[in-house]
Amino acid sequence: MSEGEPSAPGRTRQLPVFHCPYCGDEELTPHEEGWRCGACLRAFSVRLIATGVTE
């Protein structure tokens, strides 16, 4: 199973996030189904759509 693929039907695996997409800070903690930034207090989620896409 590769990074970001569902571990079982209907379940997804949380991807690692290294910085907040809003303020760029690295003070992130897991929050419900996503991440919470300790600097700007925003909560967000990240979803992998595809890997190795060729056209």
Side-chain angles (χ1 to χ4, degrees), residues 4-40:
E5 284 186 24
S7 54
R11 296 181 63 195
T12 57
R13 199 167 126 201
Q14 212 170 27
L15 299 172
V17 178
F18 300 105
H19 66 275
C20 174
Y22 299 99
C23 72
D25 198 83
E26 297 177 358
E27 186 184 339
L28 302 177
T29 54
H31 178 74
E32 296 176 7
E33 294 182 22
W35 298 92
R36 179 185 175 274
C37 177
C40 68

